[in-house]
Structure formats: C-alpha cells, structure tokens
Amino acid sequence: MIMHWTELLPIDRFIVRTADHIGEREHKTLQLLYQPLIGTIAVSLFTMLWSKLEQDCFTSGESVHHELMAMLNMPLDEIFEARRSLEGIGLLRTFQRKEDSSALFVYELQPPMTPAQFFQNDVLSVFLFNKLGKNRYIELRRRFMMEAVDQRAYTEVTAAFNEVYASLHHSEMVSAVPVVEEEKSYQGQVHQGELPFQEEEFDFELLKADFPVFIDGDKLLDETAKAVIQRMAFVYRLEPLQISRMVQRSLDDEERLDEQELRRQVQEWYRNEYGNTPPALGKRTQPDKHRTMKNKEPSTDNEQMIAFCEQTSPLTFLETIADGAKVPEADVKLVESLMFDYQLQPGVVNVLIDYVMRMNNMKLNQNFVQKIAGQWARKQISTVKDAMQLAKWEYQQRKNRETASSAQSSGNPSRPYVRKDKLPKWLEQDKKQKNEDPGPKEDEKLNQEKQQFEEMLRLRRSSRQN
C-alpha cells in the first residue's frame, strides 16, 4: 500500500476536467454497475469532482485537497485510495506537476462504459457476476437491454447520406480544412471500453518464445492481441506458458488471433479446472513493488515462507492449507473482502490467514479476521515481512497476557499455563529462537518493533491533522 503522504498533501492544488458530458445515464451506470466493484467512497469522489465543473464547462478552477477533505468528510488517505480505485478501473486519469512548495494535479474524468461495453468486458462483467451472484447479475443486465427490431417483419427505409445531401461545386469549396491547434483536444470523448493494464505484469517475451517456429510472434502479438491476451490472463490467472496453447488454438486462417475463440478456449479450460464458479479478486498475488524476495534466493525457512506468501494467491494459499480441497464459499468471500474492503495486499492476506487458522483450530473466524484486518490496514502493512513481524509481536503479547492471567488464577506463578497452539512455522521458529536465547534481548526486539509501528501510526495521524 502506497503511503499517501509521499504522493499527496492537503495543500496540493487540483483542477478537474472532462472530455465529455456526464449525464443521468452515466450516473446510473456508476451507481448500478461500478459501485459494487469500487465502493461508495470512490463513487462519491467521482461525483464530487464532477460537481466542480460548472454547467457546460469542461474545465474547473483550482482548488486544494483540503477542500475535498471537508466536503467529503474524509481523511486524505481514504481520498487517495479512492482516487487510485477510480484510476485502476478507468474512470480517472491523473496528471501531476511538482512545484516548489506543493504540487498541481489535473484530474481528468473519464466517462463510464456504456452498459453494452461493461457487460461485454471480460474483466468487469466477470467480477460483477462474482460480486452480485447469478440472479441479481441477470436481473441487472436485463434492466439495460431493449427489444431489437425484428428485421424480418420490417423493411428499412432509412435515407442514405448521398440521397439527401449534394456535393459542393468546386467554386464553393474552401482551399483547405482549418488545422486544429496541436495542444487542443476535442470534446465528446467516449469510453473505449478498455481498462488500463501495465504490460510488464505479463511476460509476452516468454509467451512468444513458446510459439512454434512457423508462428510469427511479432506479427501475431500486435497491440490489439496483447490487450486481449493480457485481459484474459489477468481475469483467469493464467501464466504465459498456460495461455500459449490456447492462443495457438485460437488463430484464424490468416494466423491472426480470434478474440471470441480465445475467450471460449480460456473459459472452457477454467470450467474444467475450477467448475462454474467465476474468477474473483482473490486470485491476485503480491505486487512486485511490495515484494522483498523478488530478486533474492531464500536462504532460511523464514525467507522461504516470505517468498511463498509473495508468489501465491490467497485462494491458492487456502487450497494448500486444505491439501487441495475446495475452499468454502464463505472463506472465498472473506478473502475477497480483505483485499477489496480492507485494501490488504495478497501476500499480507496470506500471513493473516495462516496466523488466524493456526490460532483457531484451522477455522477462519470472521470477526477475529476482520478485527486483525482493520488493525493491519490502519497500520498500513503492505509487505509480507512486516505482516509477520506484527503477527509475532501480537502473538507474544497475547501469550504474555494469558500466562500472567493463568498464574494469578492458579496462585502458582512458577508453573504458568502454556498455550498448545499448532503454530505456523514462522512463529514456531521465532519461539525456538526465544527458548534458545532467553533474557532481555527478545523483549528489547519486540519493544523496538512496537516502537516502529507506533512511529508509523504517529506519522499517519500527523498527516491527517495537516
């Protein structure tokens, strides 16, 4: 999770602009289709930015982010995360110009997809289906549909352009069409029906290397094909070597990618592997920028666990704990909530799952999970290593409290109660180290970690007050 105060301050100014009018239809699309995916806070931010535009104006005057904080009654960190949600789903483009004491942002609102674009989009339609369920999804889709004209019962009599309008005489034509100023852009931009993806998130070179010699990878993987492949790989969690065979089976007679056939191939593979349950956000793995073992070979058990948590999605992690058994739907929804509602990174979710399940007889107690998730979100834990350190500290504090309580109740402090939890290996390892080296060093280490987290909280509160 990005520390918002490194990117945004209350005194930073902003301008809102839009390339197209946003009317009632667009707001209905936002409320009914986008809001289940991005939440009410992000939609409120979009609406507030749109309200900065006067009637028939496409650019606003300057404001400061402190005004947004007051109008939305939100701290700056929530506004920052809501902004990123809008950016990620294609509703906002952000431009920044750094100045001496502050920064100027340009927030360019993007019109939402039309309902037809939304339901035909491989990414958004699948996630909306997963979020709402089959019945509500079908009901919502029908709301935006209309009966088509039965062309078998009617004959089209629409006039053609050249039937109505005549070409100008040479003497009536102007010598040249006026050139549009290069730094200007047209109003009336429409959403292209695509989502922003980072190309480096998918290894196209590896995909190309897996093609047989008779397929020209450079010619096949044009920008359109890349966008389709990356979108399908993201939604269905496919690696380059997995999707390679599907791409090869989806080529037409001219060896160009047939998008519909690729979609059919991927969906058929997914049904064979996972059944009819649609993909969900829980399939994501730890982003590269939040990995500490990306370019490092694990040398200890602890580092191996960190690497495993970083490279594994939460749902796969749950399946691994259950020895490949199907993950209950309630646990899937809970994992999605940790990533979507609490904005925890996938690797951090893995640590939380491991910690809670080992402490609660292999059960995911929802209230306990959400309590920890809220604490970790407030402390802005974004790496697996930080999550493990905090879990170790919390476990030690909990054990100390139970030991003291048991000693007092039994009246025999020399034989305190010791927990019999089946701990995660990374906690067991910490316990062994403590037994081998007892004394003040461990307490000093725990206190130092506690001070680090308290300092993080102090900085966060200070940023809010500013």
Side-chain angles (χ1 to χ4, degrees):
M1 188 176 293
I2 297 176
M3 304 300 183
H4 73 275
W5 58 80
T6 65
E7 302 286 333
L8 188 63
L9 296 173
I11 61 172
D12 287 339
R13 297 165 293 127
F14 70 90
I15 295 172
V16 181
R17 69 186 301 270
T18 183
D20 198 4
H21 174 71
I22 300 174
E24 181 180 353
R25 187 194 71 181
E26 286 75 18
H27 279 285
K28 186 177 293 185
T29 304
L30 278 172
Q31 295 288 337
L32 297 178
L33 303 183
Y34 281 88
Q35 186 167 282
L37 300 180
I38 63 177
T40 56
I41 294 178
V43 172
S44 296
L45 176 60
F46 185 96
T47 304
M48 178 56 64
L49 293 175
W50 174 76
S51 70
K52 301 290 293 181
L53 299 169
E54 299 291 340
Q55 187 175 6
D56 296 329
C57 290
F58 288 80
T59 304
S60 73
E62 283 189 9
S63 303
V64 293
H65 284 83
H66 195 278
E67 177 186 334
L68 274 183
M69 296 166 64
M71 295 296 293
L72 293 171
N73 192 26
M74 289 181 197
L76 191 61
D77 59 339
E78 291 187 14
I79 292 176
F80 178 70
E81 290 303 322
R83 189 192 92 184
R84 286 174 55 81
S85 296
L86 294 174
E87 292 168 352
I89 208 163
L91 291 174
L92 182 68
R93 297 179 67 193
T94 302
F95 304 90
Q96 180 185 25
R97 186 179 73 199
K98 293 188 176 181
E99 299 175 350
D100 293 336
S101 59
S102 63
L104 175 63
F105 291 86
V106 175
Y107 293 144
E108 185 177 276
L109 299 177
Q110 305 298 302
M113 295 183 188
T114 65
Q117 288 175 324
F118 191 99
F119 285 109
Q120 291 168 4
N121 185 278
D122 297 307
V123 179
L124 299 184
S125 60
V126 169
F127 288 150
L128 184 67
F129 184 98
N130 185 277
K131 199 75 175 178
L132 299 181
K134 180 179 178 180
N135 293 336
R136 177 58 180 154
Y137 176 85
I138 293 175
E139 176 186 337
L140 196 58
R141 188 175 63 179
R142 285 175 178 169
R143 177 171 180 167
F144 290 99
M145 286 182 168
M146 57 182 292
E147 293 292 333
V149 175
D150 185 358
Q151 296 187 4
R152 294 172 299 179
Y154 294 86
T155 302
E156 185 174 4
V157 293
T158 307
F161 178 84
N162 58 349
E163 287 183 288
V164 180
Y165 301 99
S167 177
L168 293 176
H169 191 273
H170 290 293
S171 61
E172 299 175 300
M173 294 183 181
V174 295
S175 58
V177 178
V179 177
V180 179
E181 298 175 61
E182 291 184 359
E183 295 184 359
K184 302 290 185 180
S185 58
Y186 286 108
Q187 298 174 358
Q189 174 183 338
V190 296
H191 201 292
Q192 300 302 310
E194 296 295 340
L195 296 175
F197 280 93
Q198 292 182 344
E199 186 169 316
E200 57 266 25
E201 293 292 329
F202 186 86
D203 192 345
F204 282 104
E205 291 302 317
L206 180 58
L207 173 63
K208 194 187 305 181
D210 192 57
F211 289 161
V213 294
F214 56 83
I215 293 181
D216 187 344
D218 292 325
K219 181 180 178 181
L220 170 62
L221 297 177
D222 57 18
E223 292 303 315
T224 302
K226 281 185 175 181
V228 173
I229 293 170
Q230 188 170 25
R231 192 168 66 242
M232 301 302 291
F234 170 79
V235 174
Y236 294 95
R237 196 175 49 132
L238 289 165
E239 297 297 329
L241 296 181
Q242 289 178 298
I243 202 172
S244 172
R245 300 292 181 270
M246 304 173 205
V247 170
Q248 295 174 43
R249 289 195 293 264
S250 303
L251 302 182
D252 60 17
D253 295 338
E254 298 180 0
E255 291 195 354
R256 291 179 301 188
L257 183 65
D258 185 330
E259 181 176 346
Q260 295 300 325
E261 179 60 23
L262 177 62
R263 183 182 292 109
R264 192 190 67 79
Q265 290 277 346
V266 171
Q267 290 174 348
E268 181 178 339
W269 170 86
Y270 188 87
R271 279 194 296 270
N272 291 334
E273 291 288 326
Y274 300 101
N276 293 321
T277 302
L281 289 173
K283 298 292 186 183
R284 292 174 54 197
T285 57
Q286 186 81 348
D288 285 348
K289 62 183 177 182
H290 294 303
R291 294 191 181 191
T292 58
M293 299 296 297
K294 181 181 177 183
N295 298 316
K296 183 179 178 182
E297 190 69 26
S299 58
T300 65
D301 290 343
N302 211 42
E303 289 184 345
Q304 287 178 356
M305 184 61 184
I306 293 174
F308 180 74
C309 286
E310 291 179 344
Q311 297 166 8
T312 308
S313 73
L315 293 187
T316 302
F317 192 86
L318 277 172
E319 292 171 356
T320 302
I321 293 178
D323 292 330
K326 182 178 180 180
V327 180
E329 189 66 25
D331 290 351
V332 174
K333 295 294 183 184
L334 182 57
V335 168
E336 286 185 24
S337 175
L338 295 178
M339 299 175 63
F340 195 83
D341 299 328
Y342 291 90
Q343 296 290 304
L344 295 181
Q345 297 295 344
V348 174
V349 172
N350 289 338
V351 177
L352 195 157
I353 290 171
D354 199 26
Y355 176 63
V356 172
M357 292 190 75
R358 307 291 184 180
M359 297 287 288
N360 288 274
N361 196 24
M362 304 306 289
K363 292 185 295 185
L364 276 180
N365 183 295
Q366 182 171 347
N367 292 334
F368 187 37
V369 170
Q370 291 176 338
K371 182 178 179 181
I372 297 177
Q375 179 200 26
W376 289 14
R378 288 190 296 272
K379 288 178 180 274
Q380 298 189 341
I381 304 300
S382 58
T383 68
V384 172
K385 186 177 180 180
D386 287 346
M388 285 183 172
Q389 287 179 347
L390 182 56
K392 290 176 184 178
W393 185 84
E394 291 288 348
Y395 171 75
Q396 188 63 45
Q397 295 301 304
R398 180 180 178 182
K399 190 170 68 171
N400 290 344
R401 288 193 299 268
E402 291 178 351
T403 300
S405 175
S406 177
Q408 290 176 1
S409 62
S410 65
N412 184 7
S414 62
R415 297 185 63 186
Y417 167 74
V418 179
R419 289 185 62 91
K420 300 296 184 181
D421 302 312
K422 184 180 179 182
L423 303 176
K425 288 184 178 180
W426 47 274
L427 270 182
E428 287 178 344
Q429 182 184 23
D430 191 64
K431 181 181 176 183
K432 290 177 183 176
Q433 291 173 351
K434 187 176 189 300
N435 291 335
E436 292 169 0
D437 188 19
K441 288 186 178 181
E442 184 66 23
D443 290 336
E444 182 180 343
K445 180 181 177 183
L446 291 171
N447 288 332
Q448 183 179 5
E449 291 175 357
K450 180 181 178 183
Q451 290 173 2
Q452 291 175 350
F453 287 116
E454 287 178 347
E455 177 66 14
M456 184 185 297
L457 280 177
R458 188 189 67 77
L459 290 172
R460 190 167 182 265
R461 293 192 188 103
S462 175
S463 67
R464 285 189 177 186
Q465 292 173 356
N466 291 334

